[in-house]
Amino acid sequence: MKIAVVGLGHTGLVAAAVFAERGHTVIGHDIESDKLAVIREGRSPFYEPRLNDLLAEGLRSGRLAVHDELDRCLTDAEIIFLAVGTPAANGDGPNLSEFWAAAGQVVPLASIDAVLVLKSTVPVGTTDELIDRFRGKWPNDPPVAAVPEFLRQGSAVDDFLKPDRVVIGTYSTSALKSVKQVYTPFILPEEKFLPCAPVEAELIKHAANSFLAAKISFANELANLCGKLGADYDLVQTGVGSDPRIGRKFLNAGLGFGGSCFPKDLAALIKTGHEADARQTVLEAALAANRRQVEQVAMLADEICGGLRGKKIIQLGLTYKPDTDDVRGSPAMELAFLLAQRGADLICYDPEYRPTDVGSDRVFQLSDSPVTDCPGRDLLIVATEWPQFHDLPWEQIAEKMKNPILLDARNMLNLTRMAAAGFRYVGVGRRSAQ
Ligand code: UDX
């Protein structure tokens, strides 16, 4: 099929690259010419495993092209995916200005038969609002669908290629047929498709993220309780998560959830609940618990060091999770700011983070290597669970530190191994080893 993808951020660019790889002809649109120049070289403007290969192959085969001229992208498109950013706005759901600006340009330019798919994560009710706003364009049966995306950063290509479900929120039979046709080369069984109304599609997206976020907050509070009672959260997590109705996934305790989706989607669903007079109090508590979790870890650091002022700390990890360079809503970044604010002398290392405009350079020094920068440090904190941290020369690091104390704020390292390397180890609700 001839596909246009408007907005080449994390969702849009992955969608464009994967659709091209599956044999469709795809034209991507973005307003940032610098970004387009990078993509034209077969490189992703953000870190995402496997994406560069797909982009290079798509461009080479001629099935993928990118432009900043919208009309050129939309001319022959049979289906248009709207995937512009809907960034967080003041903890109250997303800012939709870019979304409405893009919709205002796309709808008039699109052919009357072209199917418009909303891939951007928009608050519940937005698809219906879009249909209302542009009612004049489609007198009958507006070919509009809300098809939310569930990919995770760091495994976005795999997630996009093998979706658990394809939720298609539409009133239009032609839109339903076209969306299924786009996914035909993915060879998905019929039961993976979930046709529904737009409002249900939007609710599914927000509810899925909110449930997972609430599960993490539950895990964090339980781990904090384990810490107070001298119980081992690893054992508790295994015991609780072994029940298949609960499952171990998303029960990892630590610094809390972050990123550009969970906090925003949770806030958006809470707001929808307020507006509909159906308060989501469980989610309100989950969001509040998440906000407290970074403070909990900062307090642990304070306790370990006997006050933070003037203490020399090295923090490993700044991104909100591994395999991404994204620090939006990152609890690790928040922790760094909090420690520095409380007077710690902080140096931070991250395999992928590159300073942008968050002002981090005024708060901490960025390290090129934890081995070079650990000498004389009072405390080492692991704040993002990058897998390569397992293979650091821990004996050497422990030997060089002033006080070999390790606060594993992601519960990722092996306690016995760290104790053998010479550390006093402290996790979140894990039994300490020394
Ligand atoms: C999430 C959803 O998983 C995805 O379906 C949706 O499309 C976008 O939002 P993402 O933000 O990429 O994806 O990351 P995810 O891997 O889900 O992790 C989200 C946050 O939760 C991270 O900050 C992570 O560190 C944290 N997390 C995850 C935990 O603290 N504990 C866990 O057990 C799992």
Side-chain angles (χ1 to χ4, degrees):
M1 286 183 89
K2 289 186 176 151
I3 299 177
V5 178
V6 178
L8 299 175
H10 226 106
T11 298
L13 190 58
V14 171
V18 174
F19 286 150
E21 193 264 348
R22 293 281 112 165
H24 297 298
T25 305
V26 185
I27 304 193
H29 173 269
D30 204 283
I31 49 174
E32 288 178 41
S33 47
D34 292 356
K35 188 194 270 186
L36 294 179
V38 174
I39 298 171
R40 281 195 193 103
E41 287 169 13
R43 289 188 294 124
S44 165
F46 47 83
Y47 178 73
E48 182 59 51
R50 293 187 60 193
L51 187 53
N52 286 356
D53 292 345
L54 248 59
L55 290 173
E57 173 54 23
L59 295 164
R60 197 201 53 76
S61 69
R63 285 196 299 273
L64 177 67
V66 291
H67 282 296
D68 58 0
E69 290 165 41
L70 191 58
D71 47 355
R72 248 176 103 176
C73 298
L74 301 184
T75 311
D76 295 323
E78 296 164 83
I79 185 160
I80 301 161
F81 285 80
L82 201 51
V84 295
T86 52
N90 313 324
D92 201 18
N95 174 345
L96 292 182
S97 53
E98 239 181 89
F99 170 81
W100 286 119
Q105 291 180 341
V106 168
V107 175
L109 286 171
S111 108
I112 191 154
D113 303 322
V115 170
L116 180 63
V117 174
L118 275 65
K119 262 282 170 210
S120 308
T121 301
V122 287
V124 178
T126 306
T127 310
D128 284 343
E129 188 181 338
L130 183 137
I131 291 172
D132 271 357
R133 282 197 193 192
F134 299 101
R135 177 63 63 188
K137 167 97 185 182
W138 307 288
N140 342 290
D141 196 21
V144 177
V147 182
E149 186 47 57
F150 300 96
L151 61 76
R152 290 160 300 171
Q153 290 183 210
S155 53
V157 171
D158 280 345
D159 287 351
F160 201 92
L161 275 165
K162 295 183 212 113
D164 299 319
R165 69 295 207 195
V166 179
V167 176
I168 310 171
T170 187
Y171 308 112
S172 153
T173 41
S174 73
L176 178 61
K177 195 167 155 231
S178 295
V179 173
K180 283 188 170 181
Q181 212 179 323
V182 169
Y183 281 93
T184 303
F186 289 64
I187 319 175
L188 300 171
E190 184 60 27
E191 59 270 19
K192 291 250 177 185
F193 293 104
L194 179 53
C196 57
V199 68
E200 287 154 351
E202 292 158 347
L203 269 170
I204 290 168
K205 167 70 188 179
H206 284 85
N209 275 357
S210 297
F211 182 87
L212 293 170
K215 197 172 175 190
I216 297 167
S217 278
F218 172 83
N220 284 328
E221 290 201 326
L222 193 60
N224 297 342
L225 179 62
C226 286
K228 296 282 181 199
L229 300 179
D232 184 10
Y233 180 69
D234 282 359
L235 289 172
V236 174
Q237 180 182 3
T238 305
V240 173
S242 304
D243 184 331
R245 292 172 300 176
I246 298 172
R248 280 198 62 148
K249 288 183 183 161
F250 283 75
L251 272 187
N252 293 337
L255 260 183
F257 57 81
S260 60
C261 296
F262 277 8
K264 179 186 72 169
D265 294 353
L266 207 52
L269 192 52
I270 290 169
K271 187 170 181 234
T272 301
H274 265 291
E275 287 167 357
D277 199 16
R279 258 183 85 184
Q280 301 297 297
T281 54
V282 172
L283 303 187
E284 287 171 18
L287 195 55
N290 194 56
R291 291 199 184 110
R292 284 193 298 270
Q293 195 59 20
V294 174
E295 174 65 35
Q296 289 282 334
V297 172
M299 270 158 49
L300 260 180
D302 189 296
E303 256 168 53
I304 293 167
C305 293
L308 291 168
R309 187 146 299 280
K311 294 293 161 29
K312 292 184 185 304
I313 298 179
I314 178 161
Q315 177 176 317
L316 308 191
L318 287 164
T319 55
Y320 82 98
K321 66 172 201 175
D323 280 327
T324 177
D325 54 5
D326 200 343
V327 293
R328 284 175 295 171
S330 169
M333 186 60 90
E334 210 182 303
L335 178 68
F337 273 68
L338 207 57
L339 297 173
Q341 203 180 45
R342 294 185 184 170
D345 166 352
L346 189 63
I347 184 157
C348 294
Y349 168 81
D350 188 280
E352 284 300 328
Y353 168 70
R354 299 290 162 264
T356 48
D357 55 353
V358 289
S360 58
D361 53 336
R362 294 192 298 276
V363 175
F364 53 78
Q365 229 182 302
L366 203 56
S367 158
D368 288 332
S369 145
V371 182
T372 318
D373 289 311
C374 66
R377 297 275 133 186
D378 297 296
L379 174 68
L380 183 148
I381 303 179
V382 173
T384 310
E385 66 277 37
W386 282 96
Q388 52 267 54
F389 292 166
H390 286 289
D391 304 323
L392 287 173
W394 288 109
E395 284 78 6
Q396 215 181 317
I397 292 174
E399 204 175 84
K400 288 181 173 178
M401 284 177 66
K402 183 173 163 205
N403 295 314
I405 312 177
L406 195 162
L407 171 53
D408 182 359
R410 289 292 180 181
N411 285 357
M412 70 170 287
L413 297 166
N414 182 292
L415 275 76
T416 321
R417 159 133 169 62
M418 290 304 120
F423 280 103
R424 179 184 153 211
Y425 175 97
V426 182
V428 180
R430 277 174 130 188
R431 225 170 249 147
S432 297
Q434 52 200 94

